[in-house]
């Protein structure tokens, strides 16, 4: 989690950096550790498209999040 947060912080200073994978990685770490609210908030703040978020809703790592009360926040339609 710390490394992904640092990568995102560093990316703020360099608009050329592609950070989609860092957002997903951070959200995945939160989801795997049961921090579903943090995972949802991370995905909401990400630069991912609605199509990319919809695909993540099918990812096994996000299965618990997709079934939680935070699903709509994480995976808007």
């Amino acid at each position: 989690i710390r490394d992904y947060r640092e990568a995102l912080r560093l990316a703020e200073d360099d608009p050329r950096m592609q950070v989609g994978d860092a957002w997903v990685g951070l959200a995945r770490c939160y989801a795997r550790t049961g921090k579903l609210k943090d995972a949802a908030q991370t995905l909401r703040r990400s630069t991912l498209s609605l199509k990319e978020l919809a695909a993540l809703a099918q990812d096994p790592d996000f299965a618990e999040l997709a079934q939680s009360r935070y699903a709509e926040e994480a995976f808007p339609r």
Side-chain angles (χ1 to χ4, degrees), residues 11-62:
E12 290 176 358
D13 298 332
D14 190 349
R16 298 171 296 161
M17 292 184 71
Q18 301 295 316
V19 294
D21 288 342
W23 286 111
V24 173
L26 180 58
R28 192 180 307 276
C29 286
Y30 284 136
R32 285 181 176 175
T33 57
K35 298 178 180 178
L36 302 180
K37 182 177 180 180
D38 291 329
Q41 290 174 343
T42 298
L43 290 175
R44 183 175 42 98
R45 291 178 44 216
S46 76
T47 57
L48 300 172
S49 70
L50 292 177
K51 183 177 180 180
E52 291 169 313
L53 290 171
L56 286 177
Q58 305 305 313
D59 184 311
D61 286 338
F62 292 108

Side-chain angles (χ1 to χ4, degrees), residues 1-11 17 19 21-27 29-30:
I1 290 173
R2 183 180 56 235
D3 291 341
Y4 283 118
R5 293 173 95 191
E6 179 68 8
L8 290 168
R9 187 191 67 75
L10 292 172
M17 292 184 71
V19 294
D21 288 342
W23 286 111
V24 173
L26 180 58
C29 286
Y30 284 136

